[in-house]
Amino acid sequence: MTSQAPPTKRQKREEYRKAHKEDALAELPKKKFYRQRAHANPFSDHQLDPAAPDLMDWAAHYPAYVALDSAQNTTEDVDSPSALRALNKPVTVADIGCGFGGLLVALAPKLPEDLLIGKPPFQARQLRRLISRNRVGMEIRTQVTEFVQDRIRALRKQNVERGLYQNIACLRANSMKFLPNFFKKAQLTKIFLCFPDPHFKARKHKARIVSLTLNSEYAYVMKPGGTVYTITDVEDLHTWMVRHFDEHPSFEKVSKEEEVEDECVKTMKVETEEGKKVERNKGEKFVACFRRSEDPPWP
């Protein structure tokens, strides 16, 4: 009689994740079952994007915000915008490179009017990492995205009577290449760039999350008066981000006085996984915020 080999660590992780989903568990997921390489190539074509913002199915991520009359929007053409269930409000806050979702979860009760989306980092160090507006996290790494989604699902189940955490979501996306595929012009009011990969080598600077080119995409999807929040523990990267936003005509730096009073800045400093790690190590955090300027009038 041959004995069956014990399950491998990979098999255990897969079984845990499958059970967590199928059983709709209310307990929070455990990170050790969502192992993921620290990096994903942001220049690869991951084919994660909708063809256009109107083709993005946000209802799957925010079921509590589906418009009551959207069920009547039926069509045989599944690629038609009319085939999608509409939300009663748009997503307005994006956490780009949301990691394991610490900031999303912390902002959910603080911004109850916002819908937030988180996108896990398209390239980030493994350890680095609103109440009418919807918040979303955007992440490119598969298992990190799955962890955040399971975490949100469990939090919603734990708080079903109070209806909390319905305004946050996470999706796998390459924000570096396809941000305008998800959001319309002037849709977002807040963008968070928390502890991004510093890419120390000069030849890797093109992969940094902030550049003049990417700043133009941020400007496109941001509503005038909206804010980009940046934080890092690498002073060289902080200097880089400040310089590139200062050089862009669509952004102006928020004063330190305003930063100190901003509740989102206070939350950003202490609620991300990487922020907590820096705190434990007594490291320094560098914060800079930039306001989207009004577009000049056409001549």
Side-chain angles (χ1 to χ4, degrees):
M1 182 176 180
T2 58
S3 59
Q4 188 177 4
T8 64
K9 291 183 178 179
R10 181 173 182 178
Q11 289 172 330
K12 289 181 180 179
R13 292 196 297 267
E14 291 174 350
E15 290 172 0
Y16 174 88
R17 297 198 303 271
K18 183 179 179 181
H20 202 282
K21 274 190 174 57
E22 292 180 350
D23 298 339
L25 299 180
E27 68 175 23
L28 294 176
K30 300 175 182 178
K31 288 182 186 177
K32 68 179 182 179
F33 293 108
Y34 298 79
R35 293 191 60 185
Q36 175 74 57
R37 293 186 62 179
H39 302 284
N41 184 358
F43 301 113
S44 295
D45 185 2
H46 294 276
Q47 297 182 335
L48 307 176
D49 57 305
D54 286 337
L55 297 177
M56 178 61 198
D57 183 15
W58 290 113
H61 301 280
Y62 303 99
Y65 290 90
V66 175
L68 294 178
D69 60 350
S70 66
Q72 302 174 0
N73 296 336
T74 58
T75 177
E76 294 182 0
D77 183 4
V78 295
D79 291 326
S80 169
S82 60
L84 302 175
R85 293 174 298 164
L87 299 182
N88 55 25
K89 63 178 68 177
V91 174
T92 54
V93 180
D95 182 6
I96 298 177
C98 68
F100 290 98
L103 182 62
L104 279 178
V105 171
L107 287 177
K110 295 178 183 293
L111 301 174
E113 299 303 317
D114 294 296
L115 294 183
L116 289 73
I117 189 73
K119 293 191 176 185
F122 39 73
Q123 197 163 3
R125 285 173 289 180
Q126 182 67 28
L127 293 178
R128 283 195 179 274
R129 310 281 163 266
L130 272 152
I131 299 215
S132 61
R133 276 171 281 189
N134 288 352
R135 294 172 284 287
V136 66
M138 311 182 87
E139 170 69 66
I140 200 172
R141 296 172 297 167
T142 308
Q143 293 190 30
V144 177
T145 302
E146 188 177 354
F147 172 86
V148 180
Q149 291 171 344
D150 288 348
R151 182 180 185 181
I152 292 171
R153 188 180 299 110
L155 286 169
R156 288 175 176 176
K157 194 173 183 65
Q158 291 175 4
N159 296 272
V160 63
E161 293 184 0
R162 294 189 292 168
L164 297 178
Y165 303 105
Q166 296 292 336
N167 62 334
I168 59 174
C170 177
L171 57 86
R172 185 171 182 241
N174 189 338
S175 307
M176 197 170 189
K177 293 181 68 175
F178 301 117
L179 196 65
N181 292 61
F182 290 92
F183 305 114
K184 297 179 181 180
K185 179 177 174 63
Q187 178 175 336
L188 300 180
T189 59
K190 299 180 189 294
I191 291 178
F192 292 89
L193 307 174
C194 301
F195 299 98
D197 194 316
H199 293 290
F200 290 108
K201 296 180 181 179
R203 64 184 178 85
K204 291 288 189 178
H205 285 180
K206 63 182 179 181
R208 283 181 167 177
I209 197 171
V210 169
S211 66
L212 286 177
T213 301
L214 286 174
N215 289 356
S216 293
E217 295 202 356
Y218 300 146
Y220 176 81
V221 300
M222 286 208 74
K223 181 179 180 180
T227 306
V228 176
Y229 296 82
T230 72
I231 183 171
T232 178
D233 59 337
V234 179
E235 187 171 11
D236 175 70
L237 178 60
H238 170 71
T239 302
W240 167 283
M241 293 192 290
V242 170
R243 175 165 63 86
H244 281 79
F245 273 111
D246 281 344
E247 292 176 355
H248 199 285
S250 295
F251 291 98
E252 57 185 18
K253 198 170 187 302
V254 174
S255 68
K256 286 298 179 184
E257 291 75 18
E258 289 182 81
E259 280 184 14
V260 171
E261 298 299 323
D262 193 320
E263 193 65 33
C264 289
V265 172
K266 298 176 184 177
T267 304
M268 178 178 68
K269 284 183 174 181
V270 298
E271 292 295 346
T272 65
E273 284 76 11
E274 183 62 16
K276 293 176 181 178
K277 174 176 175 285
V278 174
E279 197 80 23
R280 291 194 300 269
N281 294 335
K282 303 186 184 305
E284 188 172 1
K285 302 172 189 175
F286 302 93
V287 175
C289 301
F290 304 89
R291 184 173 293 112
R292 173 68 163 89
S293 305
E294 294 284 347
D295 291 325
W298 287 94

